[in-house]
Amino acid sequence: PLVAGLTEAWAQGMPWETLIITSKLDEGDVVRMLRRTCDVLRQLARIPEMPSELAVQARHAHQAIYRDPIQEAELANTLEDLV
């Protein structure tokens, strides 16, 4: 339930600082959890047999979650992989 509540709060626009303070989790753990959620949503939206309404909802949820610092953390990891 904690993960679902944090994800929902973040998707609804809760500021990052507030999310971290209220979660009492390490910032890196929250980033990792939200990045994994984004990955699952991205995969769901790309399944050919997925009903279109569900694929659209997955894309909308991904867009709501995939913002800084989640987006920034993924970019940083991608750049590190290139070095």
Side-chain angles (χ1 to χ4, degrees), residues 2-82:
L2 175 66
V3 172
L6 285 175
T7 303
E8 181 179 7
W10 178 246
Q12 291 177 348
M14 179 180 277
W16 182 252
E17 296 77 19
T18 306
L19 187 76
I20 296 304
I21 290 168
T22 58
S23 74
K24 301 185 185 203
L25 297 172
D26 288 334
E27 188 171 354
D29 292 338
V30 177
V31 168
R32 188 171 24 263
M33 173 202 59
L34 292 172
R35 286 182 58 209
R36 287 181 179 167
T37 301
C38 283
D39 187 44
V40 169
L41 290 168
R42 189 174 21 244
Q43 291 177 37
L44 284 173
R46 292 180 180 169
I47 296 173
E49 298 83 15
M50 183 66 60
S52 61
E53 288 181 26
L54 187 54
V56 167
Q57 288 300 317
R59 281 192 288 278
H60 285 285
H62 178 271
Q63 290 171 351
I65 296 168
Y66 192 68
R67 56 190 172 96
D68 285 338
I70 307 308
Q71 186 176 25
E72 180 181 304
E74 189 165 315
L75 177 60
N77 285 343
T78 302
L79 292 175
E80 285 177 10
D81 291 343
L82 295 175

